[in-house]
Amino acid sequence: MSNFLTTSIGKKVIMSLSGLFLILFLCIHLSVNLLLLVGPDAFNAGCEFMELPFIKVIEPILALGFIIHIVWASILTIQNQKARPQKYALRKQSQNCTWPSRNMYILGALVLAFLVLHICNFWYYFKFSEVTSQYELVSTTLMQPLYAVVYIIAAILLGLHLSHGFWSAFQSIGFSNDIWRKRLEYVAYFFAIVFAVGFSIIPVYFLIFGN
């Protein structure tokens, strides 16, 4: 088993499973965030639910999932670059692959950069400061045009990342063939649109109706 995990296939499986786990988290995160459109009471209640003990236990597991996904993605990207001549790889990829599939690492890095900003602006204050209303903190921040635009761009980048990452994760764990490949691609595009639009609509709402 340990030998398998050190192989290229084993690393892809680990990265894929951690990615699918993170998608599950995104579903929960988007569901809570959309409560912002309902109102302060609904969103604050959602935040209180996220503070329940059994939810808080998942937080270190979630952090570990992010670390594993990032580390293994970095290792595989470096290995792939070393294994193939650059010009040949770029020419071959441009003919057979979509733009997101050729730029998964860059997309992931940009999403990670936004995640760090997101943690500094929200998660840190939720955890380590006396915030009387989570709704007020988030809504006030999203009313700022610059942050709202960055948030929307990050949501689009996340959607592009998932448009390839979702179905390729199933391919890496062996759950893909000529029939299922197409189906998984459609599901991937569905998730990509849901997350991109779902997260983007929140800052758009506060930009229009927040003031």
Side-chain angles (χ1 to χ4, degrees), residues 11-47:
K11 291 171 184 174
K12 287 182 180 179
V13 169
I14 294 173
M15 186 177 70
S16 298
L17 291 176
S18 62
L20 292 173
F21 170 70
L22 295 177
I23 290 175
L24 178 61
F25 160 74
L26 285 172
C27 291
I28 299 172
H29 189 55
L30 177 59
S31 299
V32 174
N33 280 13
L34 286 175
L35 293 175
L36 285 161
L37 306 182
V38 179
D41 293 339
F43 181 70
N44 289 335
C47 291

Side-chain angles (χ1 to χ4, degrees), residues 2-208:
S2 59
N3 291 334
F4 171 74
L5 296 180
T6 59
T7 64
S8 178
I9 295 176
K11 291 171 184 174
K12 287 182 180 179
V13 169
I14 294 173
M15 186 177 70
S16 298
L17 291 176
S18 62
L20 292 173
F21 170 70
L22 295 177
I23 290 175
L24 178 61
F25 160 74
L26 285 172
C27 291
I28 299 172
H29 189 55
L30 177 59
S31 299
V32 174
N33 280 13
L34 286 175
L35 293 175
L36 285 161
L37 306 182
V38 179
D41 293 339
F43 181 70
N44 289 335
C47 291
E48 289 178 8
F49 172 78
M50 298 299 289
E51 289 297 318
L52 292 176
F54 78 94
I55 295 292
K56 295 184 74 172
V57 169
I58 300 176
E59 286 187 355
I61 301 175
L62 178 63
L64 181 61
F66 272 107
I67 293 171
I68 290 174
H69 193 70
I70 294 166
V71 170
W72 258 251
S74 300
I75 292 173
L76 287 169
T77 299
I78 293 172
Q79 289 179 342
N80 289 338
Q81 288 178 344
K82 290 181 177 179
R84 294 178 298 190
Q86 191 68 16
K87 290 183 179 179
Y88 171 79
L90 289 173
R91 185 172 67 251
K92 196 71 174 178
Q93 286 176 348
S94 64
Q95 293 173 353
N96 301 306
C97 302
T98 62
W99 185 86
S101 68
R102 298 196 306 272
N103 296 277
M104 284 294 285
Y105 191 72
I106 296 174
L107 289 169
L110 292 172
V111 172
L112 175 62
F114 174 76
L115 176 62
V116 173
L117 177 65
H118 198 60
I119 289 174
C120 293
N121 282 323
F122 299 124
W123 183 85
Y124 177 83
Y125 289 101
F126 287 175
K127 296 294 181 182
F128 303 108
S129 65
E130 298 296 329
V131 177
T132 57
S133 172
Q134 291 92 340
Y135 177 89
E136 183 177 352
L137 173 63
V138 176
S139 60
T140 301
T141 303
L142 293 179
M143 287 179 198
Q144 301 173 20
L146 179 59
Y147 190 87
V149 170
V150 171
Y151 195 101
I152 293 169
I153 292 173
I156 295 171
L157 293 174
L158 174 63
L160 290 171
H161 190 71
L162 292 177
S163 68
H164 174 75
F166 181 85
W167 70 259
S168 66
F170 283 95
Q171 185 179 54
S172 295
I173 61 179
F175 190 73
S176 181
N177 53 39
D178 291 339
I179 297 176
W180 278 100
R181 165 72 178 268
K182 269 298 177 190
R183 295 173 180 174
L184 290 171
E185 285 181 353
Y186 287 133
V187 176
Y189 294 141
F190 170 78
F191 272 114
I193 293 171
V194 166
F195 286 127
V197 175
F199 282 115
S200 295
I201 200 173
I202 300 170
V204 170
Y205 171 83
F206 283 108
L207 283 175
I208 297 174

